[in-house]
Short mmCIF file of all heavy atoms in Angstrom, two decimals:
data_model
loop_
_atom_site.label_atom_id
_atom_site.label_comp_id
_atom_site.label_asym_id
_atom_site.label_seq_id
_atom_site.Cartn_x
_atom_site.Cartn_y
_atom_site.Cartn_z
N ALA D 2 0.82 -1.21 0.00
CA ALA D 2 0.00 0.00 0.00
C ALA D 2 0.85 1.26 0.00
O ALA D 2 1.84 1.37 0.73
CB ALA D 2 -0.92 0.00 1.22
N GLY D 3 0.47 2.22 -0.86
CA GLY D 3 1.10 3.52 -0.89
C GLY D 3 2.29 3.66 -1.81
O GLY D 3 2.77 4.78 -2.04
N ILE D 4 2.76 2.58 -2.38
CA ILE D 4 4.00 2.67 -3.17
C ILE D 4 3.81 3.48 -4.45
O ILE D 4 4.74 4.14 -4.92
CB ILE D 4 4.57 1.27 -3.47
CG1 ILE D 4 6.03 1.40 -3.96
CG2 ILE D 4 3.70 0.52 -4.48
CD1 ILE D 4 6.80 0.12 -3.96
N MET D 5 2.61 3.46 -5.02
CA MET D 5 2.38 4.20 -6.25
C MET D 5 2.45 5.72 -6.04
O MET D 5 2.76 6.47 -6.96
CB MET D 5 1.03 3.82 -6.86
CG MET D 5 0.99 2.44 -7.49
SD MET D 5 2.07 2.28 -8.92
CE MET D 5 1.15 3.20 -10.15
N ARG D 6 2.18 6.17 -4.82
CA ARG D 6 2.27 7.61 -4.54
C ARG D 6 3.71 8.08 -4.47
O ARG D 6 4.03 9.22 -4.79
CB ARG D 6 1.60 7.93 -3.19
CG ARG D 6 0.09 7.92 -3.22
CD ARG D 6 -0.48 8.62 -1.99
NE ARG D 6 0.08 8.09 -0.75
CZ ARG D 6 -0.44 7.08 -0.07
NH1 ARG D 6 -1.52 6.47 -0.52
NH2 ARG D 6 0.13 6.65 1.05
N GLU D 7 4.61 7.17 -4.05
CA GLU D 7 5.99 7.57 -3.78
C GLU D 7 6.98 7.20 -4.89
O GLU D 7 7.97 7.90 -5.10
CB GLU D 7 6.47 6.92 -2.47
CG GLU D 7 5.60 7.25 -1.26
CD GLU D 7 5.77 8.68 -0.81
OE1 GLU D 7 6.81 9.30 -1.13
OE2 GLU D 7 4.86 9.20 -0.14
N ALA D 8 6.72 6.10 -5.56
CA ALA D 8 7.70 5.59 -6.54
C ALA D 8 7.71 6.43 -7.81
O ALA D 8 6.66 6.86 -8.29
CB ALA D 8 7.41 4.14 -6.86
N ARG D 9 8.91 6.63 -8.36
CA ARG D 9 9.10 7.32 -9.63
C ARG D 9 10.02 6.48 -10.50
O ARG D 9 11.01 5.92 -10.01
CB ARG D 9 9.72 8.71 -9.42
CG ARG D 9 8.89 9.65 -8.53
CD ARG D 9 7.62 10.10 -9.24
NE ARG D 9 6.84 11.00 -8.41
CZ ARG D 9 5.90 10.61 -7.54
NH1 ARG D 9 5.63 9.32 -7.41
NH2 ARG D 9 5.24 11.50 -6.83
N SER D 10 9.72 6.41 -11.78
CA SER D 10 10.59 5.67 -12.70
C SER D 10 12.00 6.23 -12.64
O SER D 10 12.20 7.44 -12.62
CB SER D 10 10.05 5.75 -14.13
OG SER D 10 8.83 5.05 -14.25
N GLY D 11 12.99 5.33 -12.60
CA GLY D 11 14.39 5.73 -12.56
C GLY D 11 15.00 5.67 -11.19
O GLY D 11 16.24 5.64 -11.04
N GLN D 12 14.17 5.63 -10.13
CA GLN D 12 14.71 5.50 -8.78
C GLN D 12 15.26 4.09 -8.57
O GLN D 12 14.81 3.14 -9.19
CB GLN D 12 13.61 5.75 -7.74
CG GLN D 12 13.11 7.17 -7.63
CD GLN D 12 12.00 7.28 -6.60
OE1 GLN D 12 11.04 6.51 -6.62
NE2 GLN D 12 12.13 8.25 -5.70
N ASN D 13 16.22 3.95 -7.66
CA ASN D 13 16.67 2.63 -7.27
C ASN D 13 15.64 2.04 -6.30
O ASN D 13 15.08 2.75 -5.46
CB ASN D 13 18.04 2.69 -6.57
CG ASN D 13 19.16 2.91 -7.55
OD1 ASN D 13 19.07 2.49 -8.71
ND2 ASN D 13 20.22 3.55 -7.11
N ILE D 14 15.41 0.76 -6.43
CA ILE D 14 14.46 0.09 -5.55
C ILE D 14 14.94 -1.32 -5.25
O ILE D 14 15.49 -2.01 -6.11
CB ILE D 14 13.04 0.07 -6.17
CG1 ILE D 14 12.00 -0.39 -5.15
CG2 ILE D 14 12.99 -0.79 -7.42
CD1 ILE D 14 10.56 -0.16 -5.59
N PHE D 15 14.75 -1.73 -4.01
CA PHE D 15 15.10 -3.09 -3.57
C PHE D 15 13.81 -3.83 -3.29
O PHE D 15 12.88 -3.29 -2.68
CB PHE D 15 15.95 -3.02 -2.29
CG PHE D 15 16.18 -4.36 -1.64
CD1 PHE D 15 17.12 -5.24 -2.16
CD2 PHE D 15 15.46 -4.74 -0.51
CE1 PHE D 15 17.33 -6.48 -1.57
CE2 PHE D 15 15.66 -5.97 0.09
CZ PHE D 15 16.61 -6.84 -0.44
N VAL D 16 13.73 -5.09 -3.72
CA VAL D 16 12.56 -5.90 -3.46
C VAL D 16 12.98 -7.20 -2.78
O VAL D 16 13.95 -7.84 -3.19
CB VAL D 16 11.78 -6.21 -4.77
CG1 VAL D 16 12.65 -6.89 -5.80
CG2 VAL D 16 10.55 -7.07 -4.48
N ASP D 17 12.27 -7.55 -1.72
CA ASP D 17 12.52 -8.80 -0.99
C ASP D 17 11.23 -9.61 -1.02
O ASP D 17 10.29 -9.35 -0.27
CB ASP D 17 12.93 -8.51 0.45
CG ASP D 17 13.39 -9.78 1.19
OD1 ASP D 17 12.81 -10.85 0.92
OD2 ASP D 17 14.31 -9.69 2.01
N GLY D 18 11.20 -10.59 -1.91
CA GLY D 18 10.00 -11.41 -2.07
C GLY D 18 9.85 -12.47 -1.00
O GLY D 18 8.78 -13.06 -0.85
N ASP D 19 10.91 -12.74 -0.23
CA ASP D 19 10.82 -13.71 0.86
C ASP D 19 10.12 -13.10 2.07
O ASP D 19 9.31 -13.76 2.73
CB ASP D 19 12.22 -14.18 1.27
CG ASP D 19 12.90 -14.97 0.16
OD1 ASP D 19 12.32 -15.96 -0.30
OD2 ASP D 19 14.02 -14.59 -0.24
N CYS D 20 10.45 -11.85 2.37
CA CYS D 20 9.89 -11.19 3.56
C CYS D 20 8.74 -10.24 3.22
O CYS D 20 8.05 -9.77 4.13
CB CYS D 20 10.99 -10.43 4.31
SG CYS D 20 12.31 -11.51 4.89
N GLY D 21 8.55 -9.93 1.94
CA GLY D 21 7.41 -9.13 1.53
C GLY D 21 7.54 -7.64 1.75
O GLY D 21 6.65 -7.00 2.34
N TYR D 22 8.63 -7.06 1.27
CA TYR D 22 8.75 -5.60 1.36
C TYR D 22 9.63 -5.06 0.24
O TYR D 22 10.37 -5.82 -0.43
CB TYR D 22 9.31 -5.17 2.73
CG TYR D 22 10.76 -5.53 2.98
CD1 TYR D 22 11.80 -4.65 2.62
CD2 TYR D 22 11.11 -6.74 3.59
CE1 TYR D 22 13.13 -4.99 2.84
CE2 TYR D 22 12.43 -7.08 3.82
CZ TYR D 22 13.44 -6.20 3.45
OH TYR D 22 14.76 -6.52 3.67
N GLY D 23 9.55 -3.74 0.04
CA GLY D 23 10.40 -3.06 -0.92
C GLY D 23 10.98 -1.82 -0.26
O GLY D 23 10.37 -1.24 0.65
N ILE D 24 12.15 -1.39 -0.73
CA ILE D 24 12.80 -0.18 -0.19
C ILE D 24 13.14 0.74 -1.36
O ILE D 24 13.88 0.35 -2.27
CB ILE D 24 14.07 -0.51 0.60
CG1 ILE D 24 13.73 -1.35 1.84
CG2 ILE D 24 14.79 0.78 1.01
CD1 ILE D 24 14.97 -1.79 2.61
N LEU D 25 12.59 1.93 -1.33
CA LEU D 25 12.93 2.95 -2.33
C LEU D 25 14.19 3.68 -1.94
O LEU D 25 14.36 4.07 -0.77
CB LEU D 25 11.79 3.97 -2.45
CG LEU D 25 10.67 3.66 -3.46
CD1 LEU D 25 9.57 4.70 -3.33
CD2 LEU D 25 11.20 3.63 -4.88
N GLU D 26 15.10 3.85 -2.90
CA GLU D 26 16.36 4.56 -2.71
C GLU D 26 17.13 4.08 -1.48
O GLU D 26 17.41 4.84 -0.55
CB GLU D 26 16.10 6.07 -2.60
CG GLU D 26 15.46 6.69 -3.85
CD GLU D 26 16.44 6.82 -5.02
OE1 GLU D 26 17.34 5.97 -5.16
OE2 GLU D 26 16.29 7.77 -5.79
N PRO D 27 17.51 2.78 -1.43
CA PRO D 27 18.30 2.27 -0.30
C PRO D 27 19.67 2.94 -0.27
O PRO D 27 20.20 3.33 -1.31
CB PRO D 27 18.42 0.78 -0.60
CG PRO D 27 18.23 0.66 -2.08
CD PRO D 27 17.27 1.74 -2.45
N ASP D 28 20.25 3.06 0.95
CA ASP D 28 21.55 3.73 1.05
C ASP D 28 22.66 2.83 0.52
O ASP D 28 22.47 1.63 0.27
CB ASP D 28 21.82 4.19 2.48
CG ASP D 28 21.85 3.03 3.47
OD1 ASP D 28 22.28 1.93 3.10
OD2 ASP D 28 21.42 3.24 4.63
N GLU D 29 23.86 3.38 0.38
CA GLU D 29 24.96 2.68 -0.28
C GLU D 29 25.42 1.46 0.51
O GLU D 29 25.79 0.43 -0.07
CB GLU D 29 26.14 3.64 -0.49
CG GLU D 29 27.28 3.06 -1.31
CD GLU D 29 26.83 2.48 -2.66
OE1 GLU D 29 25.94 3.07 -3.31
OE2 GLU D 29 27.37 1.43 -3.07
N ALA D 30 25.40 1.54 1.84
CA ALA D 30 25.83 0.40 2.65
C ALA D 30 24.91 -0.80 2.42
O ALA D 30 25.37 -1.95 2.29
CB ALA D 30 25.83 0.79 4.13
N PHE D 31 23.62 -0.54 2.36
CA PHE D 31 22.64 -1.59 2.11
C PHE D 31 22.86 -2.18 0.72
O PHE D 31 22.89 -3.40 0.54
CB PHE D 31 21.22 -1.01 2.23
CG PHE D 31 20.13 -2.03 2.04
CD1 PHE D 31 19.54 -2.62 3.14
CD2 PHE D 31 19.70 -2.40 0.77
CE1 PHE D 31 18.53 -3.57 2.97
CE2 PHE D 31 18.70 -3.34 0.59
CZ PHE D 31 18.12 -3.93 1.71
N ALA D 32 23.03 -1.32 -0.27
CA ALA D 32 23.20 -1.77 -1.65
C ALA D 32 24.47 -2.60 -1.82
O ALA D 32 24.48 -3.61 -2.52
CB ALA D 32 23.23 -0.56 -2.58
N CYS D 33 25.53 -2.19 -1.14
CA CYS D 33 26.81 -2.90 -1.24
C CYS D 33 26.70 -4.31 -0.67
O CYS D 33 27.18 -5.27 -1.26
CB CYS D 33 27.89 -2.11 -0.50
SG CYS D 33 29.54 -2.82 -0.67
N SER D 34 26.03 -4.45 0.46
CA SER D 34 25.84 -5.75 1.09
C SER D 34 25.03 -6.68 0.18
O SER D 34 25.35 -7.85 0.02
CB SER D 34 25.13 -5.57 2.43
OG SER D 34 24.81 -6.82 2.99
#
């Protein structure tokens, strides 16, 4: 819920299908891991 209000094409996004969540514009430490 609510992701269509916040998401914009071209942004980085992380998706976790095991735990059921997404993160818009994750920080570099998260992305590196």
